[in-house]
Amino acid sequence: MQSITLDQGGLLSLYPYEIPIIQGILSKRGMSWDCLDTKQGIIKLPQQYIGYIGLPDRKIIIKPKHPGITISHILRVYFFLYSAQYSDLDTPMYDVETGNDVDLIAMFIQEMLSVVHKGLPVEYSEKEEDLSFIKGNLQVVPTSLNIMMRRRDAFRCVYDDLTRDIPINRLLLAAAKKIESHVQNSDIAYIIRQFGNVDYTNIPDDIGFNKNTAYCKKAVSLAYMILNDLTLSTDGESSSGESLLINFDRVFEDFIKKVLMEYSNLGKFSYWTSSRSFAFCYQGDEYFERSYLPDLLYDYVDKNGRQTARAILDMKNKTSLPFHNDDIYQMAFYGQMLSCKKIILCYPGNENRSNTALRFNDEKFFLHKIYGSYMNLAGNSAKEFKDNIASFVYRVECLL
């Protein structure tokens, strides 16, 4: 299979038989069709996505647009974001250190084989059941009624029993079932058999870990990646490839939120889970609203309907010079709405850079400066990555 590497947001010429596959990927991901020209057979890769696209005869690798940052660096960010803690970064993970090519399904199968060999996580759950013998705590009243009704299983008992039907196993099984039809081999079939009757239809949004489930963290991170960002393509009745498209704009925003909320000594960071309305319009029989949603707030207060914040932070996944006009207009509006004069824009980088500031010429404008801070994502070892996180947190704290 031929491998072709393109820059994030680049152009790709398609063969006619590849166009239906690309259309299927766009539909499954809910992505805009404006990027695809079926007549000319050209797709402009969406700017925010990195990863790879599997086609019948070739694999299109979409590398990050930031120089010095690879897909492996993004995988480390993903692992840290969705399953790991700061201390977990000391262990080797995936193939970040070796720089090997990324094969998400193969990594997941390998990690799951390790998990099932150690044993799937189990928890005690309380059950209440009618039995032919006494087990656990006997419920007297319902047992008496069962005896009077001459039921065979007369003893109503409440007892603790080990179960595998827990959130972490539901997530892992859901990911395994998603790739089952695509990967026909004995390993994935063996993995799925180990779960038994686990109900994988109810997938949790977040997984909590303890000392008994810590060994599943890498598998959990891969499972979220498979469920959220992996698309399995088909050509007729046969599979043609896997496509991993990670929305790095979203991942970078969530990554910075976690870093500051969990590892800053200042605390007081928060974010809204839904946008807030600031205007409405009646147009004949139609009615619509306009709303806004800052990425991250520092010392946010909502008192008697008056909302204020000491600082507003916004994540901008851009490689060009900072402080674009549209970003400035957006942040000036946010600052006005929240009576806030301290604005910090957070950018990804490939080296440790000092904070920067944009100074306004007009002193009558309520904002005097907008600050920029850079998070270095290009660390090639666990120590470098942790040092970069600590350095970024310190620089943001200095601004606050």
Side-chain angles (χ1 to χ4, degrees):
M1 177 174 288
Q2 182 185 14
S3 291
I4 299 175
T5 300
L6 296 176
D7 290 327
Q8 192 175 348
L11 290 172
L12 175 65
S13 178
L14 299 171
Y15 296 111
Y17 63 87
E18 294 176 336
I19 293 177
I21 298 171
I22 294 295
Q23 290 174 326
I25 293 173
L26 294 177
S27 296
K28 291 178 181 178
R29 297 302 303 268
M31 296 161 63
S32 172
W33 286 65
D34 295 339
C35 62
L36 177 63
D37 186 337
T38 56
K39 292 183 178 179
Q40 298 188 64
I42 295 176
I43 181 172
K44 187 181 189 310
L45 300 171
Q47 190 67 239
Q48 67 269 40
Y49 287 95
I50 61 101
Y52 57 85
I53 298 175
L55 298 170
D57 303 317
R58 55 183 181 158
K59 185 175 185 179
I60 313 300
I61 300 172
I62 309 167
K63 66 179 184 179
K65 57 189 175 184
H66 306 279
I69 298 177
T70 67
I71 294 179
S72 293
H73 294 125
I74 308 304
L75 290 180
R76 187 189 290 279
V77 170
Y78 209 108
F79 173 67
F80 175 78
L81 176 60
Y82 288 102
S83 58
Q85 297 298 320
Y86 196 75
S87 58
D88 296 318
L89 299 175
D90 289 325
T91 58
M93 45 172 290
Y94 314 137
D95 284 333
V96 172
E97 282 73 20
T98 60
N100 290 341
D101 193 12
V102 176
D103 188 335
L104 184 60
I105 289 180
M107 289 193 295
F108 178 71
I109 292 176
Q110 181 180 2
E111 194 61 37
M112 281 304 303
L113 286 173
S114 174
V115 168
V116 298
H117 288 161
K118 293 177 182 177
L120 289 172
V122 293
E123 290 180 3
Y124 281 103
S125 65
E126 186 177 83
K127 291 187 176 181
E128 183 173 338
E129 193 175 4
D130 290 338
L131 302 172
S132 59
F133 56 89
I134 296 176
K135 180 178 181 180
N137 296 321
L138 181 68
Q139 304 297 297
V140 177
V141 173
T143 297
S144 300
L145 292 174
N146 286 341
I147 292 174
M148 293 173 60
M149 297 172 66
R150 299 180 181 275
R151 289 185 173 175
R152 181 178 178 182
D153 298 330
F155 301 106
R156 176 71 58 83
C157 301
V158 176
Y159 61 95
D160 290 333
D161 192 23
L162 285 173
T163 180
R164 290 178 177 170
D165 192 10
I166 58 178
I168 189 171
N169 286 338
R170 294 171 196 152
L171 171 72
L172 297 176
L173 179 57
K177 295 293 285 187
K178 179 175 179 178
I179 65 176
E180 179 186 20
S181 59
H182 187 76
V183 181
Q184 300 289 345
N185 66 28
S186 57
D187 286 337
I188 194 67
Y190 167 75
I191 289 168
I192 290 175
R193 286 198 303 270
Q194 309 311 305
F195 287 90
N197 296 323
V198 171
D199 178 11
Y200 63 93
T201 57
N202 185 16
I203 303 171
D205 294 327
D206 187 40
I207 296 292
F209 294 97
N210 55 44
K211 63 180 181 180
N212 296 324
T213 59
Y215 67 98
C216 299
K217 287 184 176 181
K218 293 179 187 177
V220 164
S221 177
L222 290 168
Y224 275 122
M225 205 179 302
I226 287 170
L227 294 172
N228 295 335
D229 298 315
L230 185 74
T231 302
L232 301 176
S233 307
T234 57
D235 182 12
E237 296 181 353
S238 62
S239 61
S240 63
E242 57 176 284
S243 300
L244 174 67
L245 293 173
I246 297 176
N247 185 335
F248 187 51
D249 288 359
R250 171 180 56 82
V251 169
F252 180 68
E253 177 184 332
D254 292 343
F255 171 68
I256 296 299
K257 285 180 181 178
K258 178 173 180 176
V259 164
L260 293 176
M261 293 182 70
E262 296 190 11
Y263 300 106
S264 170
N265 294 321
L266 297 179
K268 297 185 179 181
F269 289 101
S270 63
Y271 62 90
W272 297 343
T273 56
S274 60
S275 57
R276 308 292 172 91
S277 173
F278 66 86
F280 60 90
C281 177
Y282 285 102
Q283 184 174 323
D285 296 333
E286 296 182 11
Y287 168 83
F288 62 89
E289 294 183 343
R290 289 289 178 258
S291 58
Y292 71 110
L293 182 63
D295 288 346
L296 190 63
L297 302 174
Y298 177 69
D299 198 12
Y300 169 72
V301 177
D302 186 351
K303 187 175 182 180
N304 298 326
R306 184 173 182 269
Q307 301 171 345
T308 61
R310 283 178 56 191
I312 302 172
L313 297 92
D314 212 68
M315 294 30 139
K316 302 298 181 184
N317 180 25
K318 297 180 178 178
T319 57
S320 55
L321 290 175
F323 309 119
H324 289 213
N325 278 356
D326 52 348
D327 296 336
I328 300 306
Y329 303 151
Q330 177 192 28
M331 301 315 296
F333 175 75
Y334 287 177
Q336 190 75 52
M337 293 299 295
L338 295 171
S339 302
C340 177
K341 294 187 176 183
K342 181 157 288 187
I343 307 293
I344 303 174
L345 299 181
C346 302
Y347 298 96
N350 57 4
E351 61 182 359
N352 287 318
R353 298 178 58 177
S354 301
N355 292 330
T356 186
L358 179 76
R359 294 172 172 83
F360 291 94
N361 296 328
D362 192 342
E363 295 182 355
K364 298 188 296 294
F365 190 52
F366 82 100
L367 284 177
H368 295 163
K369 296 179 184 178
I370 291 182
Y371 298 96
S373 190
Y374 292 84
M375 172 67 214
N376 182 7
L377 301 177
N380 291 318
S381 68
K383 182 180 185 306
E384 288 179 3
F385 190 61
K386 292 203 294 185
D387 289 345
N388 292 341
I389 290 175
S391 177
F392 172 75
V393 171
Y394 173 76
R395 289 195 298 271
V396 171
E397 289 178 341
C398 288
L399 293 177
L400 294 174

